[in-house]
Amino acid sequence: MQGGTFSALRTRLQEAAEEFAGGPDALQGILLGLVDDVDRALREPLEIFPVCHHSPASALAMARRLREKQPRVVYLELCEDMAPLLTELRNCKLPVALQAFATDVRGFPADWSPLSVVAPITEASAEYQAIAYALETPGVELVLVDRSCDHVFQWDAAGPAPVQPAGPDAPPAEEEAALHGDAVGLDLGDLRPRFAELEEHLLRHGRVRHWSEWWHQYVELPLGDSDHDTYRQVMFLIGSLFRRLAPGDPHRVRVDEDRERYMWTRTREHLAASGADPADCLYVCGAFHAASRVAEFGVHGADTFEIGPPSGSTWQYGLIPSSHAAIEAQFGLAAGSVSIAATTWAKHVKRSGVKPFRLAGQAGTRASRSRKAAAAPLAAVVAPPADKLTGFLRRPPVLDRLDETELLGWSVEIVRAARRNGYLASTADAIAVFETSILLAGMRDRARPTPYDFQDAAVTCIEKDTVPGRRDVRRLVEIMMGGDRVGQVGYEALPPLARDVHDRLAPLNLRLQQRGVQRALLDIAAHPGLERCSDTLWILRYLMPQGAVRPIMGERRLGERPIQESWDLALGTHQRALIELGYEGVSIEQVLEQRLRRAAYDSRATAASVLAAVEDATLYLRSRRLADELGNRALEVLASERSVDGAPEVLRRVRRLLAYYRTSEPVLPGWIESFAKTGYAHYCTLLPTAFTDEDATVRQVAATLGFLFSMESLALSLGCDRNQLELAVAQSHPTDPSKTALLWAAEVQLGRLTRDELRRRCDDLLANPLVVPAYPRYLSGFVHALEPVPGLSDIVVEAVSNAFARLPDHVLLPWLPTLVTTLRSGAADLAPLLVREAGRIFPGRLAALDAWVPPWRQPAAAALPARRSAGPRGVALLAAHPAACDALAGLLGCEGTWEAPDAGPGGAALLGRHPDTARALGELLAAL
């Protein structure tokens, strides 16, 4: 090598640089630097095996080299703290992803939490071949040398990268594309130009649409049949080219170089500790990092890099299901490229006869056991490989002959798939797709159509203006070429929480790991043991994403027990979410308790949100201890609030909790009594301000009054003073019409305003033409007043009826839409009260409407007759038959004698002395 293995190539590149640039300049330095990088990597005593992420050519070359060399130590570019997960791959169905997850974040900004890192593994990848070889071959050690997951975030000062937006290369927006969530993806060998102009140049001259197609056409296919030396030299050259033409992003360059320093430092540490011979080892890394120029490069590099300590974050590790679409979405690959890579891998294996490595017992694969063989003794001086790079670069592209049988099968299959998805495709379309594929390949200087040529031809010939189904033709081609394979994590590789969930739901007799929706029927009345399954399902519905666990029949309310339930379960589809729950605790009850406590003690928590946590703790966990703790927290938060924004939600939840405790507990919990007492004084203080605050809505003020009136009896029994409420109402002076009507309703409830006076005020509003345009807002206030004062429903019905009866059409019609929208948007839950009251007041038949007189227009009841002063009074029946009273008096232990009938005036003497009360009661009954 040092004697000039690439001397001929250097000479030709120097001549080319001088011819194109007119003399030695930067171009010559770049071209010669590429050869120097290749030369340096090949001269390294530790064999470097450059790979590309999910490349079938890399996987095939890796399998071939492992069987030839049989290394005793394999150094792999993968996070070193993920090593314990590799053995669990036997219990999974590929593709899956290694995941590191941290919710207890220390040393990082709080808004980064949770931290998540994933490393996808597919069968058509070089890293899987290395892992399978090392785990299945006795005496082989696998060492992960890349930075830890904690260092991934330590070195990323900008925080986790956001999910890449959808672009022309983005996969379709389906649920399989979101299997990785917002985790940071780790790839082994990211080979894509970081120089936009270079990528654009390659795509334009290669006559391809996107980078995945260029790589498939100009790298995958030529290297699929190449020998080991050619493969290494070409991959070194590509890595060096992309590295030297990378943009000068200082942060990204620094991270890349630090990763290379980290890996070589770990490699030298292991070589020194184990005493392994570099000739018996293999270093698998991305081609981009194989062309490194850092001082720490190689087994004899400088030991100047210091690895910092990890942060205090607590990391959890596990496996999650992955898919081809998820890998494409996370790494910005073209839709279907990973599926096409899987198909290409199968063709390479079948054509070359190379036996790939597979883990024993892995679902969907057949184990391939490696025979234990000692590594061949290497000579003291290893002969340098010949220059294969020059011949590869000078060789014209190989034109594969057209495989008509394969292309014809594709054409027939895509037409069949299109017809199943609603397209009006026929045999003529299959012929058109066949011919168009050949035509497009010829236009792009290809003798054999690639899957991308066939995809373009199918879209051109079959897809019309609209897509009749959920999938378009491009997506159908991707599925036909290999499909979006979705991996699965086996039961043994699941975290304890996920296994516990499967064990609890075992009585349902469902295949919970199967993808898709399954229906579960729970007859709890006939089989009481299924109630534990019901409890588990309700907690999972609370914790997992929408669609994972969905109730069809049945509901859970405070104080109720389930009888029959029906559920749609998709735990297999949402396996990643279930696995990530296992990173938060050992049981779903623990995870739910942690989340409720975290929500209650959050700095942005409100009294309403804490009360919601109290309700959930009671409903799902039946934990009185947790409910009391969170209830005391709700009391603290309520006392610190300075507005009535959360009053509607507080009122709704505290009413429900109060009703539950009154029916299920012998005494009320101490926290809810304190909450009622504190809330009464708190809202009395805020009421005058809420009436005048422009930001406070009428619904919020109505809910404040509803809390005061509904909690009044409990608060007064606990020592509150009603004068607080009366003073608060007296100090309220609203200017908004709706709040003014609400204040009038509160005065009626407190006795400061009579119902007749309220009626007169409504009549005055209708009689004033200046106020008529604002009358719907008064009605809105009256409708909201039904929350604190439901007894005013007849007054509201009367006010609406009078408006329709008295106002002419030219006044009524303009504000009628406003009235309807006000009732619908602001008081939809209170409208049933008005409907019921109207049904009670108005006649039930149309014929009776003409003779019907509204109650508020009926004449007042006649005055009570004067009290008669003459004649004996009293209860004559009791005097005629005293035996019943004597028996009752004896039972009660009372002694006494009967008065004579002429003993004087008897009966209710108070009514005779104070007749006003009786008259008022008579008038009230007459009005009703």
Side-chain angles (χ1 to χ4, degrees), residues 474-490:
R474 188 176 302 278
R475 182 63 177 154
L476 294 178
V477 174
E478 296 167 9
I479 296 175
M480 189 193 72
M481 287 295 174
D484 183 18
R485 299 179 186 175
V486 180
Q488 187 181 72
V489 179

mmCIF file with all atom_site columns, all heavy atoms in Angstrom, residues 474-490:
data_model
loop_
_atom_site.group_PDB
_atom_site.id
_atom_site.type_symbol
_atom_site.label_atom_id
_atom_site.label_alt_id
_atom_site.label_comp_id
_atom_site.label_asym_id
_atom_site.label_entity_id
_atom_site.label_seq_id
_atom_site.pdbx_PDB_ins_code
_atom_site.Cartn_x
_atom_site.Cartn_y
_atom_site.Cartn_z
_atom_site.occupancy
_atom_site.B_iso_or_equiv
_atom_site.pdbx_formal_charge
_atom_site.auth_seq_id
_atom_site.auth_comp_id
_atom_site.auth_asym_id
_atom_site.auth_atom_id
_atom_site.pdbx_PDB_model_num
ATOM 1   N N   . ARG A 1 474 ? -49.310 4.454   -5.744 1.00 0.00 ? 474 ARG A N   1
ATOM 2   C CA  . ARG A 1 474 ? -47.918 4.433   -5.282 1.00 0.00 ? 474 ARG A CA  1
ATOM 3   C C   . ARG A 1 474 ? -47.792 3.594   -4.021 1.00 0.00 ? 474 ARG A C   1
ATOM 4   O O   . ARG A 1 474 ? -46.851 2.816   -3.857 1.00 0.00 ? 474 ARG A O   1
ATOM 5   C CB  . ARG A 1 474 ? -47.449 5.867   -5.032 1.00 0.00 ? 474 ARG A CB  1
ATOM 6   C CG  . ARG A 1 474 ? -45.965 5.982   -4.729 1.00 0.00 ? 474 ARG A CG  1
ATOM 7   C CD  . ARG A 1 474 ? -45.557 7.437   -4.593 1.00 0.00 ? 474 ARG A CD  1
ATOM 8   N NE  . ARG A 1 474 ? -45.870 8.181   -5.812 1.00 0.00 ? 474 ARG A NE  1
ATOM 9   C CZ  . ARG A 1 474 ? -45.109 8.190   -6.882 1.00 0.00 ? 474 ARG A CZ  1
ATOM 10  N NH1 . ARG A 1 474 ? -43.979 7.495   -6.899 1.00 0.00 ? 474 ARG A NH1 1
ATOM 11  N NH2 . ARG A 1 474 ? -45.449 8.894   -7.952 1.00 0.00 ? 474 ARG A NH2 1
ATOM 12  N N   . ARG A 1 475 ? -48.755 3.728   -3.133 1.00 0.00 ? 475 ARG A N   1
ATOM 13  C CA  . ARG A 1 475 ? -48.727 2.948   -1.890 1.00 0.00 ? 475 ARG A CA  1
ATOM 14  C C   . ARG A 1 475 ? -48.985 1.469   -2.167 1.00 0.00 ? 475 ARG A C   1
ATOM 15  O O   . ARG A 1 475 ? -48.393 0.598   -1.531 1.00 0.00 ? 475 ARG A O   1
ATOM 16  C CB  . ARG A 1 475 ? -49.780 3.504   -0.931 1.00 0.00 ? 475 ARG A CB  1
ATOM 17  C CG  . ARG A 1 475 ? -49.814 2.802   0.411  1.00 0.00 ? 475 ARG A CG  1
ATOM 18  C CD  . ARG A 1 475 ? -48.517 2.991   1.140  1.00 0.00 ? 475 ARG A CD  1
ATOM 19  N NE  . ARG A 1 475 ? -48.544 2.382   2.459  1.00 0.00 ? 475 ARG A NE  1
ATOM 20  C CZ  . ARG A 1 475 ? -47.474 1.952   3.102  1.00 0.00 ? 475 ARG A CZ  1
ATOM 21  N NH1 . ARG A 1 475 ? -46.286 2.079   2.546  1.00 0.00 ? 475 ARG A NH1 1
ATOM 22  N NH2 . ARG A 1 475 ? -47.573 1.421   4.294  1.00 0.00 ? 475 ARG A NH2 1
ATOM 23  N N   . LEU A 1 476 ? -49.832 1.173   -3.144 1.00 0.00 ? 476 LEU A N   1
ATOM 24  C CA  . LEU A 1 476 ? -50.097 -0.227  -3.489 1.00 0.00 ? 476 LEU A CA  1
ATOM 25  C C   . LEU A 1 476 ? -48.850 -0.905  -4.039 1.00 0.00 ? 476 LEU A C   1
ATOM 26  O O   . LEU A 1 476 ? -48.596 -2.086  -3.760 1.00 0.00 ? 476 LEU A O   1
ATOM 27  C CB  . LEU A 1 476 ? -51.234 -0.293  -4.515 1.00 0.00 ? 476 LEU A CB  1
ATOM 28  C CG  . LEU A 1 476 ? -52.612 0.161   -4.030 1.00 0.00 ? 476 LEU A CG  1
ATOM 29  C CD1 . LEU A 1 476 ? -53.615 0.091   -5.171 1.00 0.00 ? 476 LEU A CD1 1
ATOM 30  C CD2 . LEU A 1 476 ? -53.088 -0.673  -2.849 1.00 0.00 ? 476 LEU A CD2 1
ATOM 31  N N   . VAL A 1 477 ? -48.065 -0.162  -4.807 1.00 0.00 ? 477 VAL A N   1
ATOM 32  C CA  . VAL A 1 477 ? -46.812 -0.725  -5.322 1.00 0.00 ? 477 VAL A CA  1
ATOM 33  C C   . VAL A 1 477 ? -45.846 -1.017  -4.181 1.00 0.00 ? 477 VAL A C   1
ATOM 34  O O   . VAL A 1 477 ? -45.176 -2.055  -4.164 1.00 0.00 ? 477 VAL A O   1
ATOM 35  C CB  . VAL A 1 477 ? -46.185 0.226   -6.357 1.00 0.00 ? 477 VAL A CB  1
ATOM 36  C CG1 . VAL A 1 477 ? -44.815 -0.272  -6.787 1.00 0.00 ? 477 VAL A CG1 1
ATOM 37  C CG2 . VAL A 1 477 ? -47.093 0.367   -7.561 1.00 0.00 ? 477 VAL A CG2 1
ATOM 38  N N   . GLU A 1 478 ? -45.774 -0.109  -3.217 1.00 0.00 ? 478 GLU A N   1
ATOM 39  C CA  . GLU A 1 478 ? -44.886 -0.328  -2.076 1.00 0.00 ? 478 GLU A CA  1
ATOM 40  C C   . GLU A 1 478 ? -45.288 -1.585  -1.320 1.00 0.00 ? 478 GLU A C   1
ATOM 41  O O   . GLU A 1 478 ? -44.428 -2.391  -0.918 1.00 0.00 ? 478 GLU A O   1
ATOM 42  C CB  . GLU A 1 478 ? -44.928 0.881   -1.160 1.00 0.00 ? 478 GLU A CB  1
ATOM 43  C CG  . GLU A 1 478 ? -44.390 2.155   -1.791 1.00 0.00 ? 478 GLU A CG  1
ATOM 44  C CD  . GLU A 1 478 ? -44.733 3.380   -0.965 1.00 0.00 ? 478 GLU A CD  1
ATOM 45  O OE1 . GLU A 1 478 ? -45.233 3.187   0.161  1.00 0.00 ? 478 GLU A OE1 1
ATOM 46  O OE2 . GLU A 1 478 ? -44.507 4.504   -1.438 1.00 0.00 ? 478 GLU A OE2 1
ATOM 47  N N   . ILE A 1 479 ? -46.584 -1.773  -1.124 1.00 0.00 ? 479 ILE A N   1
ATOM 48  C CA  . ILE A 1 479 ? -47.052 -2.967  -0.416 1.00 0.00 ? 479 ILE A CA  1
ATOM 49  C C   . ILE A 1 479 ? -46.759 -4.221  -1.227 1.00 0.00 ? 479 ILE A C   1
ATOM 50  O O   . ILE A 1 479 ? -46.326 -5.253  -0.699 1.00 0.00 ? 479 ILE A O   1
ATOM 51  C CB  . ILE A 1 479 ? -48.556 -2.838  -0.124 1.00 0.00 ? 479 ILE A CB  1
ATOM 52  C CG1 . ILE A 1 479 ? -48.802 -1.668  0.829  1.00 0.00 ? 479 ILE A CG1 1
ATOM 53  C CG2 . ILE A 1 479 ? -49.120 -4.124  0.453  1.00 0.00 ? 479 ILE A CG2 1
ATOM 54  C CD1 . ILE A 1 479 ? -50.265 -1.381  1.084  1.00 0.00 ? 479 ILE A CD1 1
ATOM 55  N N   . MET A 1 480 ? -46.945 -4.142  -2.532 1.00 0.00 ? 480 MET A N   1
ATOM 56  C CA  . MET A 1 480 ? -46.708 -5.303  -3.389 1.00 0.00 ? 480 MET A CA  1
ATOM 57  C C   . MET A 1 480 ? -45.236 -5.690  -3.435 1.00 0.00 ? 480 MET A C   1
ATOM 58  O O   . MET A 1 480 ? -44.889 -6.869  -3.514 1.00 0.00 ? 480 MET A O   1
ATOM 59  C CB  . MET A 1 480 ? -47.222 -4.989  -4.792 1.00 0.00 ? 480 MET A CB  1
ATOM 60  C CG  . MET A 1 480 ? -47.229 -6.172  -5.730 1.00 0.00 ? 480 MET A CG  1
ATOM 61  S SD  . MET A 1 480 ? -47.492 -5.661  -7.426 1.00 0.00 ? 480 MET A SD  1
ATOM 62  C CE  . MET A 1 480 ? -45.915 -4.900  -7.792 1.00 0.00 ? 480 MET A CE  1
ATOM 63  N N   . MET A 1 481 ? -44.348 -4.709  -3.367 1.00 0.00 ? 481 MET A N   1
ATOM 64  C CA  . MET A 1 481 ? -42.921 -4.972  -3.448 1.00 0.00 ? 481 MET A CA  1
ATOM 65  C C   . MET A 1 481 ? -42.352 -5.608  -2.180 1.00 0.00 ? 481 MET A C   1
ATOM 66  O O   . MET A 1 481 ? -41.196 -5.991  -2.132 1.00 0.00 ? 481 MET A O   1
ATOM 67  C CB  . MET A 1 481 ? -42.163 -3.678  -3.732 1.00 0.00 ? 481 MET A CB  1
ATOM 68  C CG  . MET A 1 481 ? -42.320 -3.181  -5.144 1.00 0.00 ? 481 MET A CG  1
ATOM 69  S SD  . MET A 1 481 ? -41.571 -4.324  -6.309 1.00 0.00 ? 481 MET A SD  1
ATOM 70  C CE  . MET A 1 481 ? -42.060 -3.586  -7.860 1.00 0.00 ? 481 MET A CE  1
ATOM 71  N N   . GLY A 1 482 ? -43.098 -5.688  -1.174 1.00 0.00 ? 482 GLY A N   1
ATOM 72  C CA  . GLY A 1 482 ? -42.584 -6.272  0.065  1.00 0.00 ? 482 GLY A CA  1
ATOM 73  C C   . GLY A 1 482 ? -43.435 -5.896  1.251  1.00 0.00 ? 482 GLY A C   1
ATOM 74  O O   . GLY A 1 482 ? -43.366 -6.519  2.300  1.00 0.00 ? 482 GLY A O   1
ATOM 75  N N   . GLY A 1 483 ? -44.228 -4.852  1.071  1.00 0.00 ? 483 GLY A N   1
ATOM 76  C CA  . GLY A 1 483 ? -45.131 -4.479  2.145  1.00 0.00 ? 483 GLY A CA  1
ATOM 77  C C   . GLY A 1 483 ? -44.432 -3.751  3.266  1.00 0.00 ? 483 GLY A C   1
ATOM 78  O O   . GLY A 1 483 ? -43.216 -3.798  3.432  1.00 0.00 ? 483 GLY A O   1
ATOM 79  N N   . ASP A 1 484 ? -45.242 -3.049  4.006  1.00 0.00 ? 484 ASP A N   1
ATOM 80  C CA  . ASP A 1 484 ? -44.713 -2.358  5.176  1.00 0.00 ? 484 ASP A CA  1
ATOM 81  C C   . ASP A 1 484 ? -44.684 -3.345  6.335  1.00 0.00 ? 484 ASP A C   1
ATOM 82  O O   . ASP A 1 484 ? -45.619 -3.421  7.127  1.00 0.00 ? 484 ASP A O   1
ATOM 83  C CB  . ASP A 1 484 ? -45.594 -1.144  5.498  1.00 0.00 ? 484 ASP A CB  1
ATOM 84  C CG  . ASP A 1 484 ? -45.044 -0.354  6.666  1.00 0.00 ? 484 ASP A CG  1
ATOM 85  O OD1 . ASP A 1 484 ? -43.853 -0.542  6.986  1.00 0.00 ? 484 ASP A OD1 1
ATOM 86  O OD2 . ASP A 1 484 ? -45.796 0.428   7.258  1.00 0.00 ? 484 ASP A OD2 1
ATOM 87  N N   . ARG A 1 485 ? -43.631 -4.109  6.395  1.00 0.00 ? 485 ARG A N   1
ATOM 88  C CA  . ARG A 1 485 ? -43.538 -5.117  7.449  1.00 0.00 ? 485 ARG A CA  1
ATOM 89  C C   . ARG A 1 485 ? -43.438 -4.451  8.806  1.00 0.00 ? 485 ARG A C   1
ATOM 90  O O   . ARG A 1 485 ? -42.659 -3.522  9.007  1.00 0.00 ? 485 ARG A O   1
ATOM 91  C CB  . ARG A 1 485 ? -42.311 -5.994  7.224  1.00 0.00 ? 485 ARG A CB  1
ATOM 92  C CG  . ARG A 1 485 ? -42.342 -6.744  5.897  1.00 0.00 ? 485 ARG A CG  1
ATOM 93  C CD  . ARG A 1 485 ? -41.092 -7.575  5.706  1.00 0.00 ? 485 ARG A CD  1
ATOM 94  N NE  . ARG A 1 485 ? -41.059 -8.164  4.382  1.00 0.00 ? 485 ARG A NE  1
ATOM 95  C CZ  . ARG A 1 485 ? -40.028 -8.866  3.900  1.00 0.00 ? 485 ARG A CZ  1
ATOM 96  N NH1 . ARG A 1 485 ? -38.962 -9.053  4.659  1.00 0.00 ? 485 ARG A NH1 1
ATOM 97  N NH2 . ARG A 1 485 ? -40.067 -9.369  2.680  1.00 0.00 ? 485 ARG A NH2 1
ATOM 98  N N   . VAL A 1 486 ? -44.245 -4.925  9.704  1.00 0.00 ? 486 VAL A N   1
ATOM 99  C CA  . VAL A 1 486 ? -44.293 -4.379  11.060 1.00 0.00 ? 486 VAL A CA  1
ATOM 100 C C   . VAL A 1 486 ? -43.772 -5.439  12.012 1.00 0.00 ? 486 VAL A C   1
ATOM 101 O O   . VAL A 1 486 ? -44.237 -6.579  11.999 1.00 0.00 ? 486 VAL A O   1
ATOM 102 C CB  . VAL A 1 486 ? -45.722 -3.957  11.440 1.00 0.00 ? 486 VAL A CB  1
ATOM 103 C CG1 . VAL A 1 486 ? -45.753 -3.387  12.845 1.00 0.00 ? 486 VAL A CG1 1
ATOM 104 C CG2 . VAL A 1 486 ? -46.250 -2.936  10.448 1.00 0.00 ? 486 VAL A CG2 1
ATOM 105 N N   . GLY A 1 487 ? -42.791 -5.062  12.807 1.00 0.00 ? 487 GLY A N   1
ATOM 106 C CA  . GLY A 1 487 ? -42.215 -6.002  13.757 1.00 0.00 ? 487 GLY A CA  1
ATOM 107 C C   . GLY A 1 487 ? -43.079 -6.192  14.985 1.00 0.00 ? 487 GLY A C   1
ATOM 108 O O   . GLY A 1 487 ? -44.087 -5.510  15.198 1.00 0.00 ? 487 GLY A O   1
ATOM 109 N N   . GLN A 1 488 ? -42.636 -7.128  15.802 1.00 0.00 ? 488 GLN A N   1
ATOM 110 C CA  . GLN A 1 488 ? -43.380 -7.444  17.017 1.00 0.00 ? 488 GLN A CA  1
ATOM 111 C C   . GLN A 1 488 ? -42.408 -7.910  18.086 1.00 0.00 ? 488 GLN A C   1
ATOM 112 O O   . GLN A 1 488 ? -41.488 -8.695  17.813 1.00 0.00 ? 488 GLN A O   1
ATOM 113 C CB  . GLN A 1 488 ? -44.418 -8.533  16.729 1.00 0.00 ? 488 GLN A CB  1
ATOM 114 C CG  . GLN A 1 488 ? -45.358 -8.817  17.882 1.00 0.00 ? 488 GLN A CG  1
ATOM 115 C CD  . GLN A 1 488 ? -46.341 -9.919  17.530 1.00 0.00 ? 488 GLN A CD  1
ATOM 116 O OE1 . GLN A 1 488 ? -45.984 -11.086 17.445 1.00 0.00 ? 488 GLN A OE1 1
ATOM 117 N NE2 . GLN A 1 488 ? -47.584 -9.533  17.286 1.00 0.00 ? 488 GLN A NE2 1
ATOM 118 N N   . VAL A 1 489 ? -42.621 -7.406  19.294 1.00 0.00 ? 489 VAL A N   1
ATOM 119 C CA  . VAL A 1 489 ? -41.795 -7.802  20.431 1.00 0.00 ? 489 VAL A CA  1
ATOM 120 C C   . VAL A 1 489 ? -42.479 -8.967  21.124 1.00 0.00 ? 489 VAL A C   1
ATOM 121 O O   . VAL A 1 489 ? -43.665 -8.883  21.481 1.00 0.00 ? 489 VAL A O   1
ATOM 122 C CB  . VAL A 1 489 ? -41.599 -6.618  21.402 1.00 0.00 ? 489 VAL A CB  1
ATOM 123 C CG1 . VAL A 1 489 ? -40.754 -7.038  22.586 1.00 0.00 ? 489 VAL A CG1 1
ATOM 124 C CG2 . VAL A 1 489 ? -40.950 -5.453  20.669 1.00 0.00 ? 489 VAL A CG2 1
ATOM 125 N N   . GLY A 1 490 ? -41.747 -10.056 21.317 1.00 0.00 ? 490 GLY A N   1
ATOM 126 C CA  . GLY A 1 490 ? -42.320 -11.227 21.945 1.00 0.00 ? 490 GLY A CA  1
ATOM 127 C C   . GLY A 1 490 ? -42.610 -11.035 23.423 1.00 0.00 ? 490 GLY A C   1
ATOM 128 O O   . GLY A 1 490 ? -42.140 -10.094 24.067 1.00 0.00 ? 490 GLY A O   1
#
